[in-house]
Amino acid sequence: MPNFIILVVEDEDAIREMLIVVLEQAGFTVQAASNADDAQHFLNDTLPDLILLDWMLPTISGVEFARRLRKEPIYQTLPIVMLTARGEEEDKIRGFGCGVDDYMTKPFSPRELVARLRAVLRRSSKHQWSPKITIGDLMLDTEQHRLTIAEQVVDVSPTEFRLMQFFMTHPDKVFNRTQLLDQVWGRSVYIEERTVDVHIRRLRKILEIHEREDLVQTVRGFGYRFSINQ
Ligand code: CA
């Protein structure tokens, strides 16, 4: 499965933390915000694969936020799953049709939530569901855990593999150390930021064997970018 990024927008701490744990356990990369402003702030940097959006949020409601996003071309096809309370909100969401792809009624079972999100992701991004990610002459097989460059197998550790998987599913974008930590290692793991540099260095050494160390570029003062273009 590719490394999908899910943005969780939920103001209740307990529910938000529960969602993070459930989704990370399911293999998703999770980013969380407690209100629409913070969510927008995150979106300015990174485009997630799906937003799990609570209906009742302070200041700007989830419905309003979804409507605003749908007005912008970049977010028109971004899958949004709304979290609602049972009853009234459920009816409204069907009636309003505020452009969400699906909704989940609280309380929900973690298993059902994960299944629904996977279904929405599958519908929205069929091509991303191929176990093989190909960029130029690089091929990453997520099922066989194999990376090849020009059909030569690259000997990478599990962490460098995850790093490459993340980079190859998010090419040409700059990520800082914190973002890479969150997205490759997960928010529930405590690791120092310099660990990212260590793994980037290792990855470059491995890529150097194949004369491709330039694939992972340092963006001074910010972080790293994976790109096959110079
Ligand atoms: Ca809420």
Side-chain angles (χ1 to χ4, degrees):
M1 194 175 74
N3 197 336
F4 285 120
I5 302 177
I6 297 190
L7 173 62
V8 171
V9 192
E10 164 64 77
D11 59 317
E12 279 171 72
D13 295 344
I15 298 178
R16 192 177 58 247
E17 291 307 314
M18 181 271 281
L19 289 168
I20 292 170
V21 171
V22 165
L23 297 177
E24 283 190 352
Q25 276 174 357
F28 294 116
T29 292
V30 186
Q31 294 288 339
S34 56
N35 56 60
D37 282 343
D38 286 354
Q40 184 61 61
H41 205 79
F42 170 79
L43 288 172
N44 293 343
D45 277 342
T46 309
L47 186 65
D49 298 290
L50 184 147
I51 302 184
L52 185 57
L53 181 61
D54 184 34
W55 170 287
M56 290 293 284
L57 290 172
T59 341
I60 301 162
S61 77
V63 180
E64 180 56 29
F65 186 53
R67 282 208 188 107
R68 287 186 191 183
L69 289 177
R70 286 295 187 241
K71 282 182 190 156
E72 295 188 47
I74 187 175
Y75 303 126
Q76 267 162 14
T77 56
L78 174 62
I80 301 175
V81 174
M82 191 77 94
L83 285 175
T84 73
R86 196 170 290 281
E88 206 186 344
E89 294 177 359
E90 205 177 322
D91 295 337
K92 278 184 189 164
I93 210 159
R94 269 179 288 202
F96 278 143
C98 50
V100 302
D101 297 83
D102 201 355
Y103 67 94
M104 283 293 294
T105 310
K106 293 185 215 173
F108 46 81
S109 87
R111 193 178 294 187
E112 193 194 347
L113 174 71
V114 169
R116 289 266 204 109
L117 297 191
R118 288 210 171 116
V120 170
L121 285 165
R122 208 173 296 133
R123 283 202 301 270
S124 75
S125 52
K126 270 184 190 132
H127 62 284
Q128 290 191 41
W129 272 78
S130 157
K132 291 177 182 162
I133 306 159
T134 310
I135 297 181
D137 60 354
L138 276 83
M139 205 266 284
L140 189 119
D141 188 325
T142 57
E143 267 177 4
Q144 295 187 8
H145 259 252
R146 218 161 77 120
L147 172 68
T148 56
I149 296 178
E151 292 175 5
Q152 279 193 303
V153 176
V154 182
D155 188 18
V156 280
S157 75
T159 303
E160 277 89 58
F161 185 87
R162 282 208 310 277
L163 202 49
M164 274 305 279
Q165 183 175 348
F166 178 76
F167 277 143
M168 287 177 68
T169 45
H170 303 85
D172 302 314
K173 288 182 191 161
V174 185
F175 295 94
N176 65 29
R177 289 169 184 78
T178 313
Q179 288 168 330
L180 286 173
L181 268 185
D182 287 353
Q183 309 202 354
V184 177
W185 281 263
R187 262 177 44 115
S188 51
V189 184
Y190 179 75
I191 293 172
E192 288 179 55
E193 288 197 357
R194 63 192 165 96
T195 306
V196 175
D197 300 329
V198 171
H199 284 281
I200 293 276
R201 266 202 303 277
R202 278 190 204 159
L203 181 59
R204 279 200 183 125
K205 275 226 167 86
I206 296 162
L207 293 172
E208 207 178 340
I209 299 168
H210 301 263
E211 298 177 349
R212 300 301 288 278
E213 67 277 12
D214 52 316
L215 287 169
V216 178
Q217 302 155 6
T218 301
V219 179
R220 207 174 287 268
F222 196 75
Y224 298 103
R225 170 178 53 212
F226 170 88
S227 180
I228 58 163
N229 308 308
Q230 291 314 295

